[in-house]
Amino acid sequence: MWIHLVVLAALAAVYWIRQRLSYWKHRGVAFVEPSFPQGNLEGLGKSRHMSQILQGCYEQLKNRGPFGGVFFFINPAALITDLDLVKTVLVKDFASFHDRNLYHNARDDPLSQHLVAMEGSKWKNLRAKLTPTFTSGKMKMMFSTVTSVAEEFTKCLTGEIASNSVVEMKDLLARFTTDVIGTVAFGLECNSLKDTNARFRVMGRKVFEPSRYRAMKTFLAAQFPQLARTLRVTLTPADISDFFMGVVKDTIQFRETNDVQRNDFMTLLMKVMKEDVLSSGKGSGSGDQLTMDDIAAQAFVFFLAGFETSSTTMSFCLYELALHQELQDKARANIEEVLQKYDSISYEAVHEMKYIEMCINESLRKYPPATTLTRKANHDYRVAGTDQVLQKGLMVAVPVYAIHHDPAHFPNPDRFDPERFSPEQTAKRHPFAYLPFGEGPRICIGLRFGMMQARIGLVYLLKHFRFTLDEQRMSVPLKLSPSSPVLTIEGGLWLKVQKL
């Protein structure tokens, strides 16, 4: 009897999987033929990065409708290929696609309940409360904190090249951004530049370390989030969770006891929590009060996003400038020209260095850290100009990397050309052809800070040093790490560094 049940269960599973993989065919939508069990993600993390896989899908689907069908394992997703539909999803009809489709589990994994993954009214309320942290006025207040770390960074690199002119810059840049974020977010001296095994650096490195076990949990959580929550799946390793929870609680306790006020992220979060407590006491609270766990989650994601994306952006930019010495000379000339007008590297001076900004923008175009934007349809949504409906709960993906490498938007896309971001060139382009920070109400909240940090880092580096590729260890074109969640260089960034 049990054999019959097993056979029936197996047949039912096969039928269900076939139906899932026929999802787009039944709807008459152009799609990329899937295979079981990967769907269209064959080679993911082993031989190909997610960005390269979706670029292949994008090239097969573009010009066949505003979107096409792909499969993330057995789950169908709509891959948007038309920039007007990208604008509709991210901005115009944001209310229909306001959630990111990222796994979070506040009960068992409190650090996952951060602004990037949060949904619905809780996200909306917290976003409104945190937005004042990232105004240009607040950036100006944080500027001197970043430059003091950049001074330390310059000394550190000078010490490194005293013994060996070839330096692995990727880790050094991550140590720089770790110290910046540690100071700005937590008000703590992380000392990563002086100590490669400083706790913040070790924990930051560990979050992005590939692990088969974590990859399996991430797969389960992404594909079957409700089941993952029922099974109490957590994506943050316990030691990382304990470390960040401990740091946040100790910092808040110390500041409250000693009445410490600083111009940083932690002070703002504490202020928001205090206001929430007061408003709930008066009966005017929203029901979405900020808790200690929420503060830890926001500080955690700000730390991760701030150190990793800025350091990889600077890594890619340095690689390209080391490869193209004439562009490096032009960038350095831009720095020197502006500094002749100013006594020091000030907030105003750095923002006047337009060619540096163009170099960073072109790095973000060619190597966007977040290669795909995801949204979830929160009700059945009819796509304008078609008879197609994106069903409630369906994942919608915007392939940023593929769009950035589409010759229709960026001619000769593999060439590094900062002039693409001159005012004249930018004005000619569809505004949604360039999406390194996303767009719309869920645009990266820290983009001003990330750009400021990258600008300052590159200004200090190019002012004091010349960079050339170590041809023994670096390949042209660059090899990307297939297993990293963000776009990063495989094997590190090895450059010959010369003090100027």
Side-chain angles (χ1 to χ4, degrees):
M1 176 68 182
W2 64 270
I3 293 174
H4 291 101
L5 290 173
V6 169
V7 170
L8 278 172
L11 288 171
V14 168
Y15 176 76
W16 180 73
I17 289 165
R18 280 191 170 165
Q19 289 298 107
R20 292 288 284 176
L21 296 179
S22 302
Y23 181 89
W24 293 116
K25 190 178 182 180
H26 290 156
R27 282 162 178 74
V29 171
F31 67 98
V32 181
E33 195 66 50
S35 61
F36 180 76
Q38 302 103 321
N40 299 122
L41 302 183
E42 205 163 335
L44 177 64
K46 292 175 185 169
S47 58
R48 294 194 294 166
H49 190 268
M50 183 69 155
S51 59
Q52 295 161 324
I53 290 170
L54 289 186
Q55 186 183 19
C57 295
Y58 172 88
E59 283 166 1
Q60 289 183 59
L61 295 169
K62 70 174 184 174
N63 306 321
R64 295 176 69 189
F67 73 94
V70 293
F71 293 87
F72 291 175
F73 298 96
I74 57 172
N75 281 342
L79 191 74
I80 303 183
T81 57
D82 175 75
L83 297 185
D84 290 329
L85 183 55
V86 170
K87 180 180 179 179
T88 298
V89 167
L90 298 182
V91 181
K92 200 171 149 200
D93 287 342
F94 172 78
S96 302
F97 302 95
H98 54 66
D99 297 332
R100 274 211 175 98
N101 204 52
L102 296 177
Y103 178 73
H104 53 89
N105 177 357
R107 178 186 59 181
D108 306 300
D109 189 358
L111 292 186
S112 69
Q113 185 69 355
H114 48 69
L115 197 64
V116 177
M118 257 183 199
E119 297 179 347
S121 65
K122 186 151 188 177
W123 166 79
K124 190 178 178 184
N125 290 331
L126 186 60
R127 174 86 189 204
K129 289 169 185 173
L130 295 187
T131 296
T133 329
F134 297 99
T135 59
S136 52
K138 288 285 197 304
M139 292 306 103
K140 210 168 179 179
M141 286 160 68
M142 293 176 186
F143 187 85
S144 61
T145 307
V146 184
T147 53
S148 64
V149 181
E151 297 277 0
E152 196 59 48
F153 184 30
T154 306
K155 288 179 199 163
C156 177
L157 185 52
T158 304
E160 291 274 335
I161 60 173
S163 56
N164 190 346
S165 64
V166 177
V167 180
E168 200 289 279
M169 287 298 299
K170 185 165 159 275
D171 183 62
L172 203 59
L173 286 161
R175 283 155 60 194
F176 162 63
T177 54
T178 296
D179 280 1
V180 169
I181 297 293
T183 309
V184 169
F186 298 93
L188 298 173
E189 299 290 328
C190 296
N191 291 317
S192 303
L193 285 166
K194 291 175 181 165
D195 176 11
T196 55
N197 293 313
R199 289 290 285 159
F200 266 92
R201 180 69 194 115
V202 169
M203 289 298 165
R205 201 185 288 128
K206 192 168 181 180
V207 173
F208 291 95
E209 267 173 13
S211 151
R212 186 160 286 186
Y213 174 59
R214 272 171 70 194
M216 284 167 63
K217 289 208 296 182
T218 303
F219 159 69
L220 174 66
Q223 299 302 303
F224 308 103
Q226 293 307 118
L227 175 62
R229 285 188 197 102
T230 304
L231 296 174
R232 309 190 77 147
V233 169
T234 61
L235 299 183
T236 315
D239 56 344
I240 292 174
S241 189
D242 293 344
F243 172 74
F244 279 97
M245 284 289 186
V247 166
V248 168
K249 284 174 183 170
D250 291 347
T251 302
I252 289 175
Q253 195 174 11
F254 177 80
R255 289 190 183 192
E256 286 178 343
T257 306
N258 299 283
D259 193 27
V260 175
Q261 297 295 322
R262 287 178 59 114
N263 291 322
D264 62 15
F265 191 56
M266 192 61 72
T267 296
L268 183 102
L269 289 169
M270 288 170 66
K271 190 177 164 206
V272 170
M273 185 165 73
K274 199 171 183 180
E275 285 168 0
D276 280 355
V277 169
L278 291 171
S279 61
S280 64
K282 291 173 187 168
S284 58
S286 64
D288 284 325
Q289 277 78 33
L290 202 64
T291 65
M292 188 73 84
D293 283 356
D294 288 332
I295 285 189
Q298 308 329 309
F300 174 66
V301 79
F302 182 52
F303 173 76
L304 290 189
F307 99 78
E308 183 66 16
T309 56
S310 291
S311 66
T312 53
T313 297
M314 285 191 279
S315 294
F316 286 123
C317 195
L318 276 185
Y319 167 83
E320 292 287 355
L321 293 178
L323 189 61
H324 302 99
Q325 288 292 312
E326 73 287 1
L327 300 182
Q328 188 178 150
D329 289 338
K330 196 170 177 181
R332 193 173 288 109
N334 180 223
I335 294 166
E336 286 163 2
E337 182 193 346
V338 171
L339 287 180
Q340 281 174 3
K341 282 175 61 181
Y342 294 87
D343 294 335
S344 61
I345 297 175
S346 64
Y347 181 84
E348 290 75 16
V350 166
H351 278 77
E352 221 173 282
M353 295 171 187
K354 294 300 176 191
Y355 194 74
I356 296 295
E357 185 179 344
M358 285 157 65
C359 289
I360 295 169
N361 284 337
E362 175 66 344
S363 294
L364 289 165
R365 194 271 314 165
K366 197 173 173 188
Y367 311 101
T371 62
T372 312
L373 302 174
T374 58
R375 295 290 185 269
K376 183 168 64 178
N378 54 347
H379 58 77
D380 285 357
Y381 178 88
R382 182 174 291 282
V383 178
T386 75
D387 58 357
Q388 293 298 333
V389 171
L390 301 175
Q391 287 188 309
K392 181 181 178 180
L394 183 76
M395 184 166 126
V396 177
V398 178
V400 173
Y401 182 89
I403 291 167
H404 285 190
H405 286 79
D406 185 340
H409 310 310
F410 297 96
N412 197 358
D414 292 331
R415 185 163 66 98
F416 183 82
D417 179 12
E419 295 298 333
R420 295 182 204 274
F421 291 92
S422 66
E424 301 75 30
Q425 291 298 318
T426 302
K428 289 179 191 172
R429 210 164 35 238
H430 193 295
F432 283 74
Y434 180 64
L435 298 163
F437 298 104
E439 202 36 272
R442 283 200 97 128
I443 193 168
C444 171
I445 195 171
L447 80 87
R448 272 198 184 103
F449 182 82
M451 284 297 285
M452 181 176 81
Q453 184 177 219
R455 273 191 184 109
I456 293 169
L458 286 168
V459 167
Y460 271 84
L461 288 173
L462 294 171
K463 182 177 186 291
H464 295 289
F465 306 95
R466 175 173 293 283
F467 299 91
T468 49
L469 285 191
D470 177 25
E471 288 163 8
Q472 304 284 303
R473 304 203 207 197
M474 295 306 298
S475 62
V476 181
L478 208 53
K479 284 197 180 92
L480 300 174
S481 170
S483 57
S484 172
V486 297
L487 217 55
T488 187
I489 302 167
E490 178 83 337
L493 174 63
W494 296 89
L495 298 179
K496 291 175 188 167
V497 185
Q498 177 197 345
K499 187 94 164 79
L500 296 174

